[in-house]
Amino acid sequence: MPSFRVAAAHHAYPVVVERGIVGAAAKYLPDRAGKVFVVSSEDVWRHKGDALVKALDGRAYQVLFLPGTEEQKRLAPLEALAEEMVNRGGDRSSVVVAFGGGIVNDMAGFLAAIFMRGIPVVQVPTTLLAQVDASIGGKTAVNLRSGKNLIGSFHPPAAVLIDPAVLDTLPDREFRSGLWEIVKAGIIRDTALFDYLGQHCADVLARRPQAVDHIIAESVRMKVEVVGADEREGDLRRILNFGHTFGHALEAEAGFGQALLHGEAVALGMLMAFDLSARLGLCPKESARRVRQHFEQVGLKTELGLIDADSLLARMRRDKKVKDGRISLILAHDIGQAFISREVTDAALREFLSQQTKTLASATRAH
Ligand SMILES: NC(=O)c1ccc[n+]([C@@H]2O[C@H](COP(=O)([O-])OP(=O)(O)OC[C@H]3O[C@@H](n4cnc5c(N)ncnc54)[C@H](O)[C@@H]3O)[C@@H](O)[C@H]2O)c1
Ligand SMILES: [Zn+2]
């Protein structure tokens, strides 16, 4: 199975995709590591803790728990955990092993970034979304009341261990939510991955190991390439946000809960980005139609209610990607060809949104 290396300007780290790699976690702890703090959530630990316990057999380590919900992805639990680390003898030689989904990944990563001004973190992602997206690239954050991921820092991990075997207990809806980030990887930069997903859709949805391992490895390859070339989020890395400006606004409107998971919001956002690209004549209508067909094949189910176009637009404006009053959108010239546009006028966007939001709720229920 493939092993990649993020090679950014100031550091490099391995990203290993391999069934069973959790069992070799001890090998990836930095040399001369002092106390090892495994940071997880109770839910993940109950499902998958055994695998890591076996891997760390013979090492001194302690397990600390985060609440693990988006509402509690806040600074306060990190302060409490940092106190606990100090009480248990943590110091500058300590290491964090982040074991969980994207929430644990972001929180434990941020904790490592600020504990004693920064200690290493090994990321061991346990959701599909965290494996192909959140664990790679060194972005860490917690939410503020005023918005998602508004405080955080870049803290590249010492290593990322991606073990597709840990996904076997992941609920189906979470699996599918992560799948949309893989669809995204194909759509923005990798037509071979997009085609593979089309041809092997049934195998992927049935979670056949060969198919799942392949698409994880390919989207990890894509993200590693992009992050290595552009760690600090210039235009290249920003194409990874395809579908996210629309998606985040929808997610916020839906209340960041079970009504719309992150990946589902991104899926709707990607459809919107393609529709807008086609409507503006930037992309062939046929490609937008192919994308929609592909999405129907993967299956998109949400419980989204009616969305108000004006409040969606207001949320998009508040998004941190607004520069000089212009919303920068990631649009597509075709499948595999995403690009950043700062040209879409407010009026065009408002008209597009009001037309889209009318069909959104009914369209999503139909699939
Ligand atoms: N840092 C980044 O670059 C980046 C990128 C994308 C997303 N994110 C962040 O990731 C978060 C979302 O992550 P997520 O989708 O992984 O959600 P999550 O962390 O909430 O995990 C989803 C659910 O799955 C459960 N779970 C995790 N692993 C499991 C397993 N192996 N078996 C059974 N259940 C398991 C969790 O307990 C949780 O209930 C968001 O907060 C988002 O901001 C960060
Ligand atoms: Zn995302």
Side-chain angles (χ1 to χ4, degrees):
M1 292 271 310
S3 180
F4 305 98
R5 215 169 159 73
V6 171
H10 299 292
H11 49 258
Y13 55 91
V15 181
V16 185
V17 184
E18 189 177 321
R19 263 181 199 262
I21 192 68
V22 167
K27 228 174 67 190
Y28 291 88
L29 294 175
D31 297 338
R32 294 198 303 273
K35 288 218 181 295
V36 175
F37 292 98
V38 174
V39 178
S40 191
S41 69
E42 287 184 18
D43 183 38
V44 170
W45 197 247
R46 195 177 58 247
H47 282 113
K48 287 286 158 230
D50 285 4
L52 201 57
V53 166
K54 259 193 226 136
L56 296 176
D57 187 34
R59 298 221 37 151
Y61 70 93
Q62 324 219 8
V63 186
L64 302 174
F65 293 119
L66 286 168
T69 64
E70 198 63 53
E71 300 75 58
Q72 288 168 295
K73 188 186 171 189
R74 301 290 295 274
L75 205 47
L78 293 191
E79 187 175 347
L81 238 56
E83 291 285 7
E84 209 168 324
M85 284 166 71
V86 173
N87 291 341
R88 296 190 188 193
D91 61 20
R92 293 181 60 191
S93 70
S94 302
V95 178
V96 169
V97 177
F99 189 64
I103 292 181
V104 166
N105 168 98
D106 281 12
M107 292 183 78
F110 190 42
L111 177 63
I114 54 181
F115 186 76
M116 307 255 166
R117 299 197 185 84
I119 60 172
V121 59
V122 173
Q123 292 287 358
V124 187
T126 66
T127 63
L128 187 54
L129 182 125
Q131 294 194 339
V132 299
D133 194 359
S135 64
I136 308 160
K139 282 210 242 172
T140 73
V142 293
N143 303 333
L144 287 180
R145 206 166 303 144
S146 32
K148 253 183 78 124
N149 298 333
L150 291 185
I151 27 177
S153 79
F154 277 96
H155 188 57
V160 186
L161 307 181
I162 297 169
D163 186 344
V166 303
L167 302 178
D168 61 358
T169 48
L170 193 66
D172 219 42
R173 191 169 169 208
E174 294 291 348
F175 181 83
R176 280 172 187 251
S177 176
L179 203 51
W180 292 112
E181 298 282 359
I182 298 181
V183 170
K184 179 196 78 182
I187 284 185
I188 57 180
R189 237 175 109 84
D190 187 345
T191 45
L193 176 56
F194 183 83
D195 292 342
Y196 182 95
L197 279 163
Q199 283 151 15
H200 298 84
C201 193
D203 289 340
V204 168
L205 293 176
R207 305 204 205 180
R208 302 232 152 75
Q210 209 188 353
V212 171
D213 294 7
H214 175 77
I215 59 169
I216 292 177
E218 287 310 302
S219 36
V220 167
R221 180 199 307 281
M222 191 281 298
K223 181 142 188 193
V224 163
E225 271 171 22
V226 168
V227 166
D230 177 15
E231 188 171 43
R232 290 276 163 167
E233 210 157 70
D235 278 0
L236 178 58
R237 183 162 180 176
R238 290 184 50 223
I239 67 166
L240 296 174
N241 291 326
F242 186 66
H244 282 63
T245 304
F246 290 118
H248 282 154
L250 289 168
E251 224 180 335
E253 281 293 286
F256 291 112
Q258 288 298 301
L260 197 59
L261 299 184
H262 175 74
E264 295 164 352
V266 170
L268 293 173
M270 290 193 283
L271 280 180
M272 290 167 86
F274 256 96
D275 280 353
L276 181 59
S277 303
R279 178 191 263 242
L280 297 175
L282 297 166
C283 144
K285 287 206 163 52
E286 171 58 18
S287 302
R289 199 192 57 77
R290 265 187 73 203
V291 166
R292 190 168 282 276
Q293 198 178 32
H294 184 86
F295 278 41
E296 281 166 12
Q297 199 185 359
V298 177
L300 183 59
K301 285 196 194 77
T302 68
E303 292 152 30
L304 200 63
L306 208 60
I307 296 278
D308 177 64
D310 282 326
S311 84
L312 209 57
L313 187 62
R315 287 195 191 272
M316 289 174 71
R317 293 169 150 290
R318 279 204 297 275
D319 193 294
K320 54 186 181 294
K321 283 160 216 89
V322 177
K323 241 190 194 168
D324 307 326
R326 283 217 165 195
I327 294 182
S328 76
L329 290 170
I330 302 141
L331 299 178
H333 286 310
D334 211 330
I335 295 164
Q337 294 173 33
F339 70 100
I340 312 247
S341 165
R342 295 187 182 87
E343 308 303 318
V344 182
T345 63
D346 239 41
L349 191 58
R350 173 171 283 119
E351 194 202 322
F352 171 74
L353 286 175
S354 60
Q355 178 242 333
Q356 285 272 310
T357 46
K358 271 181 218 134
T359 51
L360 205 53
S362 56
T364 55
R365 280 208 200 88
H367 302 318

